[in-house]
Amino acid sequence: MDLDQAEESEDVNEWACIRKRVREVRRTVETPPSKRKNNNRTSVYEITLKGEKEEIQSAASVPMDHMDQVECDSQEDLFGDYDSFGDDSWLRAQFEDVEKKHSVCTSSPKRNEREEEAVDCLTIQNSDTLSLQNETKIHKLLTEDAESLKDSCTIPVQSNIANEQFCSKTLPEFPAEADELPNSQLALMEGFNSLLVKHESKELEPEDILSFNCFVNNLSGSPSVLNTRMQYLNVQNQSKTTSSGTHKRLSLKDQIKNAMTENANSPIPHSSRSKQLKELVLSEEINVAMKTIQATSDIDMGPFYGLPSKVKDLIFLLKGIKELYEWQHVCLTLRCVQERKNLIYSLPTSGGKTLVAEILIMQEILCRKRDALFILPYVAIVQEKVRDLSAFGIECNFLVEEYAGSKGRFPPFKHRKKNSLYIATIEKAHSLVNSLIETERINSLGLVVVDELHMLGEGSRGAVLEMALSKILYTSKTTQIIGMSATLNNVSDLQHFLKAEHYTSNFRPIQLKEYVKIRDGIYEVDNKSEDGFTFARLLNYKYSSDMKKIDPDHLIALVTEIIPQHSCLLFCPTKKNCENVSKMLCKYLSKSFLSVKAKEKCALIAELKDIGNGVICPVLRGTVPYGLAYHHSGLTNDERKVIEQAYSEGILCLLTCTSTLAAGVNLPARRVILRSPYVARDFLKRNQYKQMIGRAGRAGIDTEGESILITQEQDKKLVADLISKPMECCYSSLIHSSEKGIKDLLLSLIGLKVAQTLDKIVEFMDGTLLGVQQQHHFNEKSFLEVMEQALQPLMEKGLIKGRMSRSSEGEEMCCQLEVTKLGHATYKASVDLDYCDTLNMDLKKSLEGLVLDNYLHLIYLVTPYDMVSHCTPDWMIYFRQFHQLDVIEQNVFAAVGVPESFLTKKASGQAVKKTVNGLVVKRFYMSLVLYSLFKEMNMWSVAQKFNLPRGFTQNLLSSTAAFSSSVLHFCEELEEFWAYRALFTDLTQKLSYCVKPELIPLMEVSGVREARARQLYNAGYRSLSYLANAIPDMLVKTIEHLSRRQAIQIVSSAKMLLNEKAEALLEAVEELVRLPTDIP
C-alpha cells in the first residue's frame, strides 16, 4: 500500500507541475503586456518550438478524474489579476479587433500564428472529447477565422496539426435539444461531422474538399452553429463532473466565470442571433430540399408549374399574357400529365392550346433535363415558333433548333451540357426520329408535342406523321406524347393509337356567334330550330343597280359594318378571287378610308417596294391605302410576313384570303366572312369550317366575335348539314395512293432494324393507327396478307432482300429481311418510292457526261419530281430561253434529253413525231426557272420572265433546296456517287438562300429574309456575331419598318444560332480529344 501511495503521490506531484505550467501559458496569452509580471516570459510559440507542446499534450494520458478535478477547482483564479473584463481597455480593443476580422472574413497574415495558438490550447482526452477549459478558446479561434480550416482542406498535402487535433475520431452525439431542429439542420450537422472525420484521416476526395469548404464558409458566417456545439460540449463536461460523487460540483463563481469567458470570446454578430439562426435554418432547408429534388426524376424548379418564375415573367413580357385560363391550369395539373402519360387535348381554335404545349416543353427541358420535339404543319409556322421561343432559350439556357426546308442536321449534335428543343415540320420530324433510332438515342427524346394532330387523316403528310409517332411509341417507352387537336368524332381511335388520356373543353376566350346569309337576310345558327336557322335581321345598305351586278353577295355592306374601326377576314374560294374582291371593295369604299393611318400605310407600301427591289404588286398598291390587302400562297414569304404584321398592328383592317390562312398563323378578327361554302370546287368540310370561323374574336380586344357564311338558296340544305353535323372522323392515311405509306414504313422499319421478320412487322403494324382501324379498312383481307402484298413491290424494286415461303400448314415462314444499298439510301434520304429508281438512273447517266462549266446540269438533278405536275411550260418562253443561253449551257439540253428541234416545233405549233420524255421536258423547264433565280437572284423579275406567280416561284426554290438536301444524303449512302457529295453540299447551301454570298450568314437567322438581310448588312451588321450582340432598341432606330418585337426576335434568334454553332464546335473538339475506350 505504501508503494501505491508513493506512486500516487508522485503522479499527483507530476500533474501539479503540468497544471502549473498550463496556467502560466494561459496567463501569458490572456494577460496584456502591461500587467504581466514578467514581460520577458517565453511566448506560446517559443514553448511549442522548445517541446512544451509535447508536455501539454501528454495531459491527454492523465485519467479523466484528475483532469476534471483540476479544471473545476473553484479555488483557482482563472483570471489572474483581473477583477473585471469591462474595465480593461486593452481586452476590449482585442475583442473589437476580432470582431472586425470576423466581419471581413478574409485571410489574415497571422493565420498560422492563430493555428499554432490553437495547437497549444487544444488538449484531447482519452474519451476523444475536448476539454472544457479549451473549448471556449477553440470557439473563438474558429469563429474568428474559419478560413484557416478552409485553407487546410483545399491543400490536403500540407499537414495541419490544429485541424487534425480538432477533428476527433469519434464525435459526440448531439443533445436531445437537437431533435427540435428541422431535418435540414440535422443533415447539415451530420454532413459536417462526416467531413471532419474524413479530413482527420486525410481521405477527403476533391468533391469532399469542395463540400467541406462550403460548410466552413457557411459556419464562419453563422456562428450560432458552433455556439450550439460548444454549449453542448460544456453541458456534457459539466454533467460528467456533477454525475460523479468523487468530484466537486461547480460553484456559482466558477459558472459565472465560465459564462463570462465564453461571452468574452464569442464575437458580436452583426444581427441578432435568432435572426441568424432563422436565416441559416432556411438556407439549409433549401439546400437539403434541392438535393432531395435532384435525386428525383421530376425536379420542381419554381412556383410556375414547377418552372422558375422567370418563365412566367417572359410569357408576360413576350406574349402579354398575365394569367392562364382556368382550363389551361386544369390541363397542366391533370394527374396523367404529372405522371407523364400521353395526352390528347381538344379545344376550339384560339382557345390557347399552344401555350399549354410550350409550358410542358419547358418543364421537360428545364426540370427533367431531356430534349423535346415540337411538330408543326407548315414551314412558316415553324419559323415563327423558332423566333418566339428563341428568347426563352436564351434566358433559360436551352437550345432551339429549326428543322424545316433544308435546315436541320441528322442525327442532331449530342450537346454536352444544354438540352435542345427541335421545332420541325412533319417530314423533318420523321427524318429526325429515324436518325435518333439509328444512333440509339431515341430515349434522349423526353417529350413530343404534335400540333394539328387531326392531320393524321390528311393524305401523304398524315401518313408521314403516323410513321413518326408509331416508331416513337414502339422504340421508346419513356417518351411522352402530347397531341393538340380540333374536336374529332373518333378521338377514341387516336387514344388507342397513342395510348393516351383525353381532355376536352368548349372554352373560347371570346363568345362566337354564327350567322348564315341567304340573299339579303341574316340568319343566326340555332340547332334547336327545325332547319337550324333563326332569322336575325335584314341588311340595311343602299345598293345601286351597278353595285348589285358587281357585288351580288353584299360584301360591301357586310365589311363596312365593321371596318375601319374593327378588323375583318374575308375567305374566298380561289386565289384569283381574293385579288378581285379586294379591288372591287376599294372601288366602292368611302374616300375617308384613305386618311386612316395614312402615314403607316405609306411606310407599308415603301417596305413592300423594298422587298420587290423597287417593284410592288399593282393590286396591293391600289388596296393598301384603303387598309385592305389580299393574302394567299401567290405572295412571297416576305410579303406575307409584312402584310400579317401590318394587319396585327391595325394598319390593315381587312384581308381577303384563302383557307390556308386559317391553318397558318393566328390572325384573329372581329368578323369572319366566308364568301362561299366551297374551297375551289369542293364543298367545305366541317373541320375546315370550324378552323375558319375560329378566327373570329380577338382576346383582350373584342367582347364577342361573329362569323357569316354566305350561301345560295340551292345550297341551304348542305349548309344546314355542315353547321350541325359532327366533326369528321380521322382515319389512317397509310393506305392512300395504293398503300404507298405502308411501303415507305416497311422499308424504314427493315432498314432501321426495328422489325426484320414478318412476325415483328405485324406486331409493329398492330400498334399503328392503321392497326387500330384495320377492321374499318380491311374487311376481306387479313392484316398479314396486306403486309405481304406491300413487301412484294419493295423486293421487285430491289430495295429489300429475303425470301418468304408458306409451309404446308399455311403458316408464314420468313427469313430475316434486309435492305439493299439502294433501299438504305432511299429511306435515309427520305426519297419518294415512286422516284427512287428514276433518281438513281438520272445520277448514273449524268456521271457519263456531267457538265460542270455551270450549275444548270446540277440544278436539273435536284429539281423536285413532284413539282412537275404543278407547272405547264410556255413553249415560246422555253424556246427563247434556249437561245439566250451560251453554247456550253445549250449542251445541257442535249445531255438531259431535250433536243432543240423538239422545242422549235413546240414553239411553232407543229406536230412532234419523235417521242420525248414528257417528265424530263417539264422538269428541265423548271430547272431553267431555278437557274435564272440562281444567276439573277431577283424573285420578281424571274417570275415575270416565265409568267409564273412569284409565290409559286419561291415555293419551287424552297422545295428544290429541301430535295437537294435529300439527294445529298442519297449520294452519301451510295459509294458510286462519291463525286456528287462535295458538289451537292455547295449547291444546297446556295439554293437554300439564293442571295449574294455576303448575305448568307444573316439569312441563316430564322425569320430574316432577303430584304431584311440587305437592310442589316447595309447598316453594318455583316455577320452573325454582330447581329447576336446588337441592341434591339438600336436596331429599331437603324432599320426601317422594324418593330421592337421583331428586333427582339431577330437578336434572340441570332444568339440562339450562335450558341448552337458554338456547342457543335465544342462537341467536335471533345469528340476529337476523347480517349478511345478500346485502346489495346
Side-chain angles (χ1 to χ4, degrees), residues 14 17 20 72 231 262 278 567 667 704 753 920 974 980 995 1038:
E14 182 180 355
C17 294
K20 183 177 180 180
C72 299
Q231 287 172 3
E262 181 178 345
K278 288 180 181 179
S567 59
L667 294 176
E704 65 178 24
K753 300 180 181 180
V920 173
L974 295 173
Y980 286 118
V995 294
T1038 307

Side-chain angles (χ1 to χ4, degrees), residues 232-248:
Y232 161 65
L233 291 173
N234 291 338
V235 172
Q236 187 184 47
N237 286 336
Q238 290 177 13
S239 65
K240 287 183 180 180
T241 301
T242 56
S243 63
S244 174
T246 61
H247 301 305
K248 293 182 180 180

Side-chain angles (χ1 to χ4, degrees), residues 503-516:
Y503 175 81
T504 186
S505 172
N506 292 323
F507 171 82
R508 274 188 58 87
I510 302 297
Q511 182 184 3
L512 173 63
K513 293 183 178 180
E514 299 179 44
Y515 297 95
V516 175

